Amino acid sequence: MSSKPLKQIHLAAHFPGVNNTTVWSDPAAGSHIDFDSFIHFAQTAERAKFDFLFLAEGLRLREQGGEIYDLDVVGRPDTFTVLAALAAVTERLGLTGTINSTFNEPYEVARQFATLDHLSQGRAAWNVVTSWDSFTGENFRRGGFLPREDRYSRAQEFLATANVLFDSWNGSEIAADAGSGTFLRDARAGAFAHRSRHFDIEGHFNVPRSPQGRPVIFQAGDSEEGREFAAAGADAIFGRYGTLDAGREFYADVKGRLAGHGRTHDQLKILPAATFVLGDTDAQARELAHEVRRLQVSGQTAIKYLEHVWNRDLSAYDPDGPLPEVDPLVGENTIALGRASVRQFRDPLATARQWRELARAKSLSIRELVIRTTADQTFVGSAATIAESINTLVQADAADGFILVPHITPGGLDGFADSVVPLLQERGVFRTEYEGTTLRDHLGLATPAPVPAPAPDPAS
Amino acid sequence: MSVSSSSPAPLHLAVALDGAGRHPAAWREPGARPAELFTARYWAGLAAEAETGLLDFITFEDGLALQSSSPTGPDGRTDRVRGRLDAVLTAARVAPLTRHIGLVPAVTATHTEPFHISKAIATLDHVSRGRAGLRIQVSELDHEARHFGRRTAPFADGELYAEAADHVEVIRRLWDSWEDDAEIRDVATGRFVDREKLHHIDFEGRHFSVRGPSITPRPPQGQPVVSAAGDGEASYALIARSAEVGYVAARDGDGTRAAVAAIRRAREATGLAADPLHLFGDLTVFLDADAPAAAARLERLDALAGVPYARDGAVFTGSPGQLADLLLERRAAGLSGFLLRPGVIAHDLPALTRGLVPELQRRGAFRQEYEADTLRGLLGLDRPANRYARPAA
């Protein structure tokens, strides 16, 4: 280890809006909609020299048992619009938006990302996600048309199509020479044609090549297809593992796939999402972390969570009592729709059996079991402990950095910026100033040259 | 709001921003900064200038194809501005840099998802604290349809406008799908929202159905301002059914009166006659010290472009005083404001803000300062009640 140069850590911040890791009942919790919250959060991340800000996505309000879910934070603004506005109040921070490839069209999304990249001078990133559920599809023209097995093929083709559009301007077309009257050097600017299984489009893309050429591409997902998709074309993967062993295994697996796609080890950054609870001392942080978990998992929340597995109404059960003796209903999940149903456990009967055993062995109530079996905090401790943990994981190749998810909106990042970041900087593993201006600069990624369009096939 | 001809209500003024200006040679003029058309700095500068002039709003023109002088596809010209940024994002980018002026991006209904547009404009309203609108438009262009590959032209004209009206209906229902006080953060019951105040919109139309509710809470204005251009019966029907501001591109007083009457009739037919509807004259302007100077400049621009400037709508050349005369005269034809299109933004936008505006102010026909913080406020439009909210007992 000692001979190896220290890796530089990448840090990013996930805006703590809609998700079950947010503690909305804390008196310090502010609005997750008001633009002032976004300004505060983004400017804190930039003050701390983070690589980027990250926005998640959800295109339908969650429902459970036929009713809109009312226990967690609900509501989020439009991703592109918020990121474009944030470009006005930040200078270097990368702006990453999660945008679905299922309920959009490549021409429009490519336009929006190319525009965002222009308006932010090279700070745009796209986390490409897929969806197939008809529940979300009910909000869109084409409905739930996509067979589940097609989601990656559409996503792959969507990204390939978007790349054709991004590359349809090579960057040298605009002369803007008033004297000679030449605005375009090349009348073919933006010309494209793309035919694949899901997309058959042609014409002219109308946004000139942006500062980064293409936005930075993120991909999330842990399936075999997800890992391959990331290795083939993503610049960064929104990983899932914040622990040493699982992280190292995932890291080695995904990085190991790069060579097969003609790519090098550094061309894909692995950045797991990570929660944290910061305290003055480790003991205080542990206490606080437990309190945060209790606030995140109310009795009602625990029952609702259990319903995802049991696939039946469990509202009559006491969250402080034992797990239901009745078995889960096996089959299509009709209680939790949309994304919640995606989270369904492969074998609910086995999960229920396992949980009953665990609950019996440790005398856990429903609520305590849910607290214990759902996401634990990734980093808990004093600033020194958290800095040490992050650095250890990165130097051990369990990750290239982390996307931090605070549990308070919008001030949840403040303490981290003030106390953990300086310790990482002292160790020489995190920047003290931005070295470049674009997100690609921050991530050490080259700006891609446009791939020339293939010559038209005379036979077609 | 009823615009009575006897009331000396101040005019409303908006400016349409597109590239370097309406004239195809505008980008070659001094100060045009053609190399900066794709930068935030350029758009922020224009918005700031418009706000200096106390204008009601700016529109950000847009389209889903490369600009062209031909309706069938790119014209292959290299001597004109080609390429443009997405209007909604550009409006959002300048929102935090402005404080009063309304921001009205163009949106094409034909190829977009009303769910996405609804939350984008709601969010523009959130980030601008109540200054958002949109200009809804349709696209009958076959080459634009091929950018999406889902539908093929020709589209029946009326059908595109009917679809756009459905699009706006969905957008509006989604804006109302959250009642203003849906977020309750009730620690005692553990409920973040009151689900009784969130509503499925269950829109079923010919081209799409949308279930709702929105993912974005109701915007500050409740309903951001919807606007659309009118140049024929089908578009008049869209304005009548869907808009709070309609743009009328008539060449003269008689044409304006006829268009205004047709839109008002269509409005009555929809049963919305009691709801306020602003009709704005849509006019391209070349402003100089006097009429000969403006005409000479237009001539010079035409020579550069190689063709005389001609549009379906009206073109004005002359001094700020003459333009003020024209606007006040045209107001009598039933208009409450104007959407002015600078022929050359670098020249005519400052001529509007520093020439026309003081002239109108001297005549008591334009505001001396911003009197409201929201676009609806500037336009004298009330914040609408939520269609889904039960009236208080």
Side-chain angles (χ1 to χ4, degrees), chain B residues 110-162:
Chain B
T110 309
H111 302 291
T112 58
E113 293 283 356
F115 190 86
H116 288 318
I117 302 298
S118 173
K119 66 185 161 66
I121 302 300
T123 303
L124 181 61
D125 209 41
H126 283 289
V127 302
S128 67
R129 299 187 172 81
R131 296 183 285 125
L134 81 161
R135 175 191 166 123
I136 197 85
Q137 61 193 21
V138 304
S139 166
E140 75 283 5
L141 301 173
D142 181 49
H143 66 280
E144 207 160 290
R146 278 183 301 183
H147 293 163
F148 291 82
R150 299 196 308 205
R151 312 160 68 174
T152 48
F155 307 108
D157 195 42
E159 189 182 322
L160 286 182
Y161 281 102

Side-chain angles (χ1 to χ4, degrees), chain A residues 105-111 113-114 126 128 155-168 192 194 199 201 205 209 213-215 217:
Chain A
E105 296 296 329
Y107 194 91
E108 194 181 6
V109 167
R111 258 198 109 212
F113 274 114
W126 173 15
V128 186
Q156 254 157 0
E157 287 184 23
F158 195 108
L159 181 57
T161 310
N163 283 338
V164 167
L165 296 169
F166 293 134
D167 288 356
S168 66
F192 72 90
H194 179 87
F199 305 103
I201 64 174
F205 189 52
R209 194 163 183 82
R214 300 170 176 182
I217 300 297

Side-chain angles (χ1 to χ4, degrees), chain A residues 315-362:
Chain A
S315 53
Y317 285 83
D318 175 7
D320 296 318
L323 264 67
E325 284 305 325
V326 59
D327 276 334
L329 277 176
V330 179
E332 191 191 345
N333 197 319
T334 55
I335 285 281
L337 300 172
R339 287 204 175 172
S341 77
V342 174
R343 246 184 288 159
Q344 68 186 294
F345 298 79
R346 268 189 210 127
D347 184 349
L349 291 173
T351 302
R353 201 162 49 237
Q354 235 171 42
W355 283 1
R356 286 196 195 107
E357 279 165 24
L358 178 66
R360 253 195 302 274
K362 310 253 179 189

Side-chain angles (χ1 to χ4, degrees), chain B residues 113-341:
Chain B
E113 293 283 356
F115 190 86
H116 288 318
I117 302 298
S118 173
K119 66 185 161 66
I121 302 300
T123 303
L124 181 61
D125 209 41
H126 283 289
V127 302
S128 67
R129 299 187 172 81
R131 296 183 285 125
L134 81 161
R135 175 191 166 123
I136 197 85
Q137 61 193 21
V138 304
S139 166
E140 75 283 5
L141 301 173
D142 181 49
H143 66 280
E144 207 160 290
R146 278 183 301 183
H147 293 163
F148 291 82
R150 299 196 308 205
R151 312 160 68 174
T152 48
F155 307 108
D157 195 42
E159 189 182 322
L160 286 182
Y161 281 102
E163 181 191 12
D166 280 0
H167 202 289
V168 174
E169 175 68 15
V170 170
I171 289 172
R172 288 190 181 280
R173 287 193 200 181
L174 288 168
W175 287 336
D176 279 350
S177 67
W178 287 61
E179 293 183 35
D180 290 316
D181 50 357
E183 185 182 313
I184 51 172
R185 297 193 186 223
D186 185 17
V187 176
T189 61
R191 293 177 310 146
F192 183 83
V193 283
D194 178 354
R195 66 164 73 99
E196 300 298 315
K197 296 186 173 187
L198 298 172
H199 303 275
H200 293 116
I201 67 163
D202 287 327
F203 178 88
E204 298 277 347
R206 196 162 156 197
H207 292 281
F208 40 79
S209 58
V210 175
R211 174 89 167 120
S214 180
I215 58 165
T216 306
R218 194 164 191 243
Q221 294 183 101
Q223 296 271 316
V225 175
V226 177
S227 68
D231 59 0
E233 287 299 328
S235 59
Y236 293 165
L238 173 65
I239 293 172
R241 184 180 150 192
S242 306
E244 280 120 354
V245 178
Y247 309 111
V248 180
R251 286 174 189 281
D252 53 29
D254 286 346
T256 302
R257 262 183 292 277
V260 168
I263 295 169
R264 294 281 172 203
R265 270 197 306 276
R267 186 76 159 181
E268 272 165 37
T270 62
L272 297 172
D275 290 357
L277 172 65
H278 280 290
L279 295 179
F280 277 29
D282 183 329
L283 194 64
T284 299
V285 295
F286 295 86
L287 280 178
D288 284 283
D290 52 46
R297 184 160 62 94
L298 179 54
E299 211 167 291
R300 186 166 55 76
L301 284 159
D302 286 350
L304 272 178
V307 283
Y309 178 74
R311 297 275 167 172
D312 295 337
V315 178
F316 170 87
T317 55
S319 69
Q322 290 169 316
L323 180 57
D325 290 343
L326 178 78
L327 300 188
L328 293 173
E329 174 198 315
R330 200 63 64 81
R331 174 171 67 174
L335 302 177
S336 52
F338 292 88
L339 175 65
L340 302 175
R341 301 172 175 278

